[in-house]
């Protein structure tokens, strides 16, 4: 629910950024410049949200995102420890700082939050399945954290979808209950997410009023993005819109007006080479990535193998302030190797980039505890 730019912006002359300046702001805001952060909580607090995805083709996406920032010092087990002590929470499939629950309580209380037909459809589906909702609450209250498969399915009306969620009644009901603030992800086990009553998961905190919470979330998002559009397609609102945050800017060679974090203006830049998850926030909004970096990219895991250009889980390569290629790799845990199937150079790489990506691959293999196998 991004807000429109402030009326006072009409009097502001937009900042004029070169393409290089815009890219450097974005890379620095994403903590991918030369100076690495040193704390997992520091990274999550700055990024505001890290998408959880457990596809283990190389490593789970959220682990790759954190490794890309922290490097070898990142301890995967710390994520579970932080979730257990409440300093991290999972909302909407995103790792967030525990204290940020205060920015979501009002929205949860107002769920589904609007009069759009799809919002009303969700509210009606939950209402007609109230017996199933109460059964889930009772089971969690008695048993504590449980995966979806261990919970009863007594839905009266099944969930219908043309996608993979069709008839996933308990899972969808849990997700709606989470959006209402009734249940929460307590951790992850062998069967995936484990759910519990929200009051036993989220840290105590006051509720920030909805409009103020949305404003703060816009500001946090722009801090993490550096440069963003005020409004984006609805599917990207919670990950790549700036709303009224920041100040207006125009970017050389790019149409339209953007929002820029004024705290990033005039900062020095030192780049490095980084290997990114396909779901990394730097590249997640493919349209923004193309506009700012001229980088053509798609996640191809859902395409037939014969139609893939770069690979099932091809990882984008960042070098300085440019996205320059993709690495098709897979972790073979049976053989104990990180197998690099191909390295795709969008244009011929300088020697520094080749050396940098080999070091990154070697570091990734060491962090995963396997041997590196190059093509």
């Amino acid at each position: 629910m991004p807000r429109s730019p402030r009326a006072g912006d009409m009097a502001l002359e937009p900042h004029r950024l070169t393409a290089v300046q815009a890219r450097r702001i974005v890379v620095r805001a994403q903590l991918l410049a030369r100076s690495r952060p040193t704390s997992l909580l520091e990274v999550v607090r700055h990024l505001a949200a890290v998408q959880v995805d457990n596809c283990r083709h190389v490593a789970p996406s959220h682990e790759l995102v954190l490794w890309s920032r922290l490097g070898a010092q990142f301890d995967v087990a710390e994520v579970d420890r932080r979730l257990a002590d409440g300093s991290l929470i999972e909302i909407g499939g995103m790792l967030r700082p525990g204290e940020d629950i205060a920015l979501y309580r009002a929205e949860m209380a107002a769920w589904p939050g609007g009069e759009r037909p799809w919002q009303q459809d969700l509210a009606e589906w939950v209402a007609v399945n109230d017996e199933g909702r109460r059964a889930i609450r009772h089971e969690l209250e008695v048993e504590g954290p449980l995966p979806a498969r261990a919970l009863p399915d007594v839905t009266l009306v099944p969930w219908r979808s043309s996608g993979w969620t069709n008839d996933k009644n308990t899972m969808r009901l849990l997700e709606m209950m989470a959006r209402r603030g009734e249940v929460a992800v307590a951790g992850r086990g062998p069967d995936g997410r484990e759910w519990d009553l929200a009051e036993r998961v989220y840290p105590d905190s006051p509720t920030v009023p909805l409009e103020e919470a949305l404003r703060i979330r816009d500001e946090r998002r722009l801090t993490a993005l550096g440069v963003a559009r005020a409004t984006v397609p609805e599917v990207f609102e919670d990950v790549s819109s700036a709303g009224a945050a920041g100040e207006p800017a125009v970017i050389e060679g790019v149409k339209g007006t953007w929002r820029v974090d004024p705290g990033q203006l005039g900062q020095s830049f030192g780049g490095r080479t980084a290997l990114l998850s396909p779901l990394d926030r730097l590249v997640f909004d493919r349209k923004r990535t193309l506009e700012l970096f001229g980088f053509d990219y798609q996640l191809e895991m859902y395409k037939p193998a014969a139609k893939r250009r770069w690979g099932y889980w091809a990882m984008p390569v960042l070098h300085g302030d440019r996205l320059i290629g993709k690495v098709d790799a897979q972790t073979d845990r049976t053989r104990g190797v990180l197998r690099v199937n191909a390295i795709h150079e969008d244009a011929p790489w300088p020697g520094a980039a080749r050396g940098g990506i080999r070091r990154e691959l070697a570091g990734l293999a060491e962090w995963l505890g396997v041997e590196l196998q190059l093509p």
Side-chain angles (χ1 to χ4, degrees):
M1 192 187 301
R3 266 58 56 214
S4 300
R6 293 179 289 265
D9 281 354
M10 301 298 290
L12 281 177
E13 181 70 20
H15 297 282
R16 298 191 175 276
L17 304 176
T18 67
V20 171
Q21 287 172 328
R23 290 196 301 269
R24 290 181 174 182
I25 287 172
V26 168
V27 171
R28 194 167 50 236
Q30 276 289 292
L31 304 179
L32 287 164
R34 184 176 301 155
S35 178
R36 288 182 183 267
T38 58
S39 156
L40 182 150
L41 279 180
E42 173 191 351
V43 171
V44 179
R45 283 176 175 144
H46 181 88
L47 297 182
V50 175
Q51 182 174 344
V52 178
D53 188 284
N54 282 325
C55 172
R56 301 183 65 84
H57 195 73
V58 174
S61 178
H62 53 288
E63 296 178 9
L64 279 175
V65 168
L66 295 168
W67 170 80
S68 293
R69 276 74 179 172
L70 294 164
Q73 64 182 309
F74 170 47
D75 176 10
V76 172
E78 185 181 356
V79 175
D80 289 333
R81 293 197 298 270
R82 295 294 186 179
L83 286 169
D85 68 19
S87 53
L88 287 182
I89 54 176
E90 184 179 328
I91 300 177
M94 301 279 186
L95 292 178
R96 305 180 192 270
E99 61 268 21
D100 277 14
I101 185 58
L103 302 176
Y104 289 87
R105 290 192 188 279
E107 185 177 55
M108 289 172 172
W111 186 90
E115 299 298 326
R116 297 172 182 174
W118 65 266
Q119 292 171 314
Q120 294 308 304
D121 288 346
L122 293 179
E124 290 171 9
W125 186 77
V126 172
V128 78
N129 287 306
D130 191 60
E131 182 180 351
R133 183 190 67 82
R134 288 186 284 109
I136 287 172
R137 283 193 61 94
H138 174 75
E139 195 73 12
L140 293 177
E141 186 174 3
V142 173
E143 299 294 337
L146 291 170
R149 65 187 298 177
L151 290 164
D153 179 3
V154 290
T155 48
L156 180 64
V157 176
W159 178 261
R160 293 300 178 219
S161 167
S162 60
W164 69 275
T165 62
N166 188 59
D167 216 28
K168 303 288 186 181
N169 305 321
T170 303
M171 184 192 72
R172 293 300 287 153
L173 192 51
L174 280 164
E175 289 172 350
M176 303 305 163
M177 292 171 70
R179 292 175 189 175
R180 289 159 51 110
E182 289 187 87
V183 301
V185 177
R188 288 180 178 263
D191 294 321
R193 291 177 292 184
E194 295 186 344
W195 300 87
D196 200 354
L197 299 179
E199 58 264 30
R200 298 202 293 227
V201 176
Y202 295 146
D204 291 333
S205 62
T207 297
V208 177
L210 183 58
E211 283 303 312
E212 182 183 355
L214 292 172
R215 176 185 59 79
I216 294 170
R217 282 159 53 180
D218 283 345
E219 292 171 351
R220 295 279 307 283
R221 196 178 303 116
L222 184 59
T223 296
L225 294 170
V227 174
R229 295 285 192 186
T231 58
V232 298
E234 187 176 348
V235 68
F236 292 125
E237 282 182 358
D238 194 40
V239 294
S240 61
S241 67
E247 296 176 358
V250 293
I251 301 171
E252 172 189 47
V254 183
K255 294 180 180 179
T257 302
W258 296 69
R259 309 294 295 179
V260 63
D261 176 6
Q264 287 282 2
L265 297 171
Q267 299 287 330
S268 62
F269 179 80
R272 63 182 175 91
T273 305
L275 196 58
L276 307 179
S277 162
L279 303 180
D280 197 289
R281 190 66 60 86
L282 189 78
V283 297
F284 186 81
D285 183 338
R286 312 302 190 209
K287 184 174 185 292
R288 172 178 178 264
T289 305
L290 186 61
E291 289 178 309
L292 296 182
F293 291 86
F295 186 65
D296 180 22
Y297 180 72
Q298 290 181 333
L299 177 58
E300 298 180 313
M301 63 189 294
Y302 301 110
K303 287 186 176 183
K307 294 186 177 181
R308 294 175 192 149
R309 291 180 288 173
W310 306 304
Y312 181 91
W313 186 254
M315 295 179 286
V317 176
L318 174 72
H319 181 65
D321 61 18
R322 301 302 303 261
L323 289 160
I324 61 171
K326 302 92 178 168
V327 172
D328 174 17
Q330 180 177 5
T331 304
D332 185 335
R333 291 168 180 82
T334 302
R335 292 179 171 80
V337 298
L338 174 64
R339 183 183 303 108
V340 179
N341 300 312
I343 297 176
H344 302 279
E345 301 181 13
D346 288 0
W349 291 357
R354 288 198 180 94
I357 201 59
R358 284 178 179 268
R359 286 190 294 273
E360 283 294 289
L361 285 166
L364 177 58
E366 183 177 1
W367 174 71
L368 290 168
V370 298
E371 297 293 324
L372 177 62
Q373 186 179 94
L374 292 168

